[in-house]
Amino acid sequence: MVEIVLKENLYELATNIIYEVANKEKSSIEFTLSRTEQFSKIHYGEITKISVPYPRQIQDKFLYQGILFDDVNESFSSVWSLFLSSLYHTGAHAAITDYSTYQEWIKTKSPHLAFKVIKLIEDIRVQEYLKSRYSNPCENIMMIEFSCQILYNKYLKNILEEKQQVKTQNMLKNKTQSMKKDILNSITNNDSTDTRIELANKLYYNRNLLDFWEYPYVENIVPTDFTKYLKYLKCHPRGEFGNYVDKLGEMWINEMKNEQKLLKKYEKYAEDLHFDKIRLSPENLGKYFQLRMDSSNLIKKIRNQVKMVTNTLEDPNTEDYGYVEMQKAIQAVSSETQGISYFEQDQELRYEESWAIVMDTSASMKIQFQDLQKFLMCIAEAADQINFKGGKWSIHGFNNDFVLIKDFKEKYDDRIKARIGGMENSGLSFIPDAMKLATRMLEDDINERRYLFLITDGYSMGYHEIDQEFQSAVKLASRAGINVIAIGVPDGMSKYFTISFPHTEVRKTVAKFVSAYSSLAQQMM
């Protein structure tokens, strides 16, 4: 088994497995863990898009891939075994499946039936791929399939009363197994385009041999009555696969607790505001890396430039801080010379700052959304550069929801970057509510220098008297001593903010941001 590096959180570990199995560049796969979808999905194209559902606890039950398991504790190992199997399975599809192989063949076929045929062939190819590279996961996945087959036999006995019907079903099952062995032998001996098309024709014209149900870890499942029966499935993972199952489950428990605390904290900040709900941003690391490829030079530039910005007055005693450099100290003492400094400063002295970065993701931002998403990446890099020690910074999005991307206490890791990549553009624009919530956050912080960076087109929309609420939000930030820098607003709105400027293109907006931040930092010295 190829070793996969363990990560600190569930999304990063899941993503790492997908990319390792697929053996592709991060920008070529968009992987999300969905909190709304019930089934795994794959969309093939220039960019492979993979969505795997988060296992969800519903009271004392567990929901995964459309299966509602009766007891969380009893089904815990089974659910996370299926989840991990989904990661290996979809990652392998991303590695080897190419639907363009069947592009001409499918033109004269029934799309629904043709899709089932292609899926069967490609699933067998995926199994062979995993067997050759990830033997322990493949063995565990085959055990899951065996357990499903046993359950299916019990299911048939329950629903088919006549012996003749059972006999017919068993005959079809034996023929199906024989057909799968033929496909496996053909793929093993000669996995070529011609072989796959030949197998596709054979299956298409023997459609009665296609299974009407699917294993509960595969993608694009069409649920059947048997799906409900799979709640009795028991998985007993072994080896490294079992270790990953335990780790994923442990991470999920801890993260659910932390998320509940985080949401509760922000719900308190949002009291008497108009947001429909507080929620976490979807995660899409592949999309982040696609955006980063277009912005790498700007990111490097902004990190270098903000690093040069000082926010402290030059103090005559400033040099008397840092680490003692022994040779200079001995020289100063022996010569009794007062002018020799013997302190080595390992970094520039700065006042600690707190940044709240808040981006409008409403429908009115559609035209410039991707541009400003790239800018958000740049400003996040700047925040990480400046506030890596002592300072605090956060990122949030908003429309008629308030969207959590990075809390003050969270590390700027791949999960946070994935949340930036997963930001979605829709809904109304509650600008005053976002400003008030961010102000309340910053008011709770002890740092004296606090900045609210508001990325928006300036058009509030969504409820009665929203313009009056905007005026109230501006006054609240001002009374709290918070500097509001608005990025993307029209020139006519400059009177409402400490500094503001419109957006034209990412490069110019980055330059304006650096200039605005430098100017404000100097003014506050």
Side-chain angles (χ1 to χ4, degrees), residues 45 66 111 177 245 264 284 301 360 404 426 460 476 504 519:
Q177 293 300 323
V245 165
K264 190 174 181 180
N284 190 333
K301 180 179 178 181
D360 187 344
L404 311 183
S426 65
S460 299
L476 181 66
T504 51
S519 172

Side-chain angles (χ1 to χ4, degrees), residues 432-470:
D433 302 85
M435 289 180 65
K436 286 181 179 181
L437 197 153
T439 297
R440 291 171 182 178
M441 283 168 42
L442 290 168
E443 280 184 309
D444 277 355
D445 191 73
I446 60 171
N447 286 339
E448 292 183 8
R449 301 195 173 204
R450 295 169 294 178
Y451 297 89
L452 198 173
F453 296 99
L454 178 65
I455 306 170
T456 179
D457 58 6
Y459 296 105
S460 299
M461 181 174 62
Y463 57 86
H464 185 56
E465 296 184 345
I466 197 167
D467 292 334
Q468 290 90 324
E469 288 295 323
F470 175 72

